[in-house]
Amino acid sequence: PLRYISKLRELVKHEAEKNKSKWKTMGPAKVAVPSPNDFLQKRSKEPKLAPKKKEQDGKKLLPLSVPPRTYHPITHITKNFINKNAVAVITGEPKKPRHFCVDTRQGDKYLLEPSGLFPKYIKKKNYGVLPKYVTQRNEEMKREEEEYQASVLEELKKKAMKILSEEERINILKALKKKWEEINHAYQGLPILTDTKYKQMHKEELELKLKQLEHDIAAIENHKSVYIANV
């Protein structure tokens, strides 16, 4: 059979060769040579400011507030400085003489006040008076000490021991004696023969309880005032 040939073959060839030239892959035929007058000049690459415009967006610039050199202010006030100075001298206080100290035969002298020999500080009104910040600090320290002592006393009052009243003492004594009678009754009911470990331990436990109760009863009976610490 005959080989298949597309009808659009010629059109495809035309489109493929439309934008091609024989010299296109080799560069242009003639290259522009730079002109000798376009050489690199000094400071040619520095940024340049735009030219100053006299008017921006159609608006006139405001004049400067500085007066020109030819401006002369108009003064209508005249002063008599001679009379003014004379009045100031008449009404002013006279100058006090300055204290000097002469220390050589040739007459060399120096001011006495800045030398430290003139007693100017002891003549002040507040000489020897405590500054305000010192008195304020002393008051604050005193107040803090009082608050600390009050807190300590309050803490001691909270931890102070409480004394039992006579009624409470008698009730506690009765309760201890009643407890002693119960344990003594249980002790009397023990068997005579203690042949087991449990019987021995039970007997020792009752004896310890009786001894402790007898000690507590004797302590409360012998001491009329009983104190209890608040732990």
Side-chain angles (χ1 to χ4, degrees):
L2 297 175
R3 183 166 62 88
Y4 172 76
I5 298 173
S6 175
K7 295 180 180 181
L8 303 175
R9 183 178 181 182
E10 298 297 332
L11 181 61
V12 171
K13 282 183 178 182
H14 177 70
E15 290 292 336
E17 296 176 357
K18 184 176 181 181
N19 294 325
K20 286 186 178 181
S21 301
K22 296 179 180 180
W23 51 269
K24 196 165 187 179
T25 57
M26 301 296 292
K30 293 181 180 181
V31 180
V33 181
S35 175
N37 297 327
D38 298 336
F39 58 89
L40 184 63
Q41 297 181 0
K42 184 178 180 181
R43 297 184 179 180
S44 61
K45 293 187 177 182
E46 292 183 359
K48 296 181 180 180
L49 298 175
K52 188 176 180 181
K53 296 181 180 180
K54 295 183 179 180
E55 296 182 3
Q56 296 179 354
D57 301 334
K59 296 182 180 179
K60 293 184 179 179
L61 297 175
L62 296 176
L64 296 176
S65 59
V66 180
R69 294 183 179 181
T70 57
Y71 174 74
H72 297 285
I74 301 172
T75 55
H76 299 285
I77 301 173
T78 57
K79 292 184 179 180
N80 192 347
F81 293 99
I82 297 175
N83 294 338
K84 183 179 178 182
N85 295 338
V87 172
V89 171
I90 294 169
T91 58
E93 295 182 358
K95 291 184 178 180
K96 295 181 180 180
R98 306 182 71 180
H99 299 278
F100 290 95
C101 179
V102 180
D103 58 350
T104 61
R105 290 186 299 174
Q106 285 77 16
D108 296 334
K109 61 182 180 179
Y110 57 89
L111 290 175
L112 189 63
E113 184 175 352
S115 65
L117 301 175
F118 187 75
K120 62 178 181 179
Y121 293 104
I122 61 175
K123 294 183 179 180
K124 289 186 175 181
K125 295 181 179 179
N126 57 352
Y127 178 77
V129 181
L130 283 177
K132 291 183 179 179
Y133 71 92
V134 176
T135 55
Q136 185 178 0
R137 179 59 181 167
N138 292 338
E139 292 176 358
E140 291 179 357
M141 292 175 64
K142 186 178 179 180
R143 184 173 63 254
E144 291 177 358
E145 184 67 22
E146 292 176 356
E147 292 177 357
Y148 174 73
Q149 293 294 340
S151 63
V152 171
L153 291 175
E154 188 68 23
E155 193 68 22
L156 291 176
K157 286 180 181 179
K158 291 180 181 179
K159 295 182 179 180
M161 291 188 294
K162 178 185 177 183
I163 186 171
L164 285 178
S165 62
E166 186 64 22
E167 185 178 357
E168 292 177 344
R169 176 176 165 275
I170 293 172
N171 292 336
I172 292 173
L173 191 59
K174 288 180 180 180
L176 290 174
K177 289 182 177 180
K178 184 178 180 182
K179 185 70 175 176
W180 183 87
E181 290 176 358
E182 293 176 358
I183 296 176
N184 186 37
H185 183 268
Y187 182 77
Q188 296 295 333
L190 290 175
I192 298 174
L193 183 62
T194 54
D195 52 351
T196 60
K197 191 69 176 175
Y198 173 75
K199 291 179 181 180
Q200 293 178 2
M201 291 176 63
H202 186 53
K203 183 180 178 181
E204 292 176 358
E205 183 181 358
L206 293 176
E207 288 176 352
L208 289 174
K209 289 183 179 180
L210 288 172
K211 188 180 292 186
Q212 184 65 35
L213 287 171
E214 289 172 359
H215 177 270
D216 295 342
I217 291 169
I220 293 177
E221 286 180 346
N222 295 333
H223 301 87
K224 299 298 182 181
S225 300
V226 181
Y227 293 90
I228 300 175
N230 294 326
V231 181

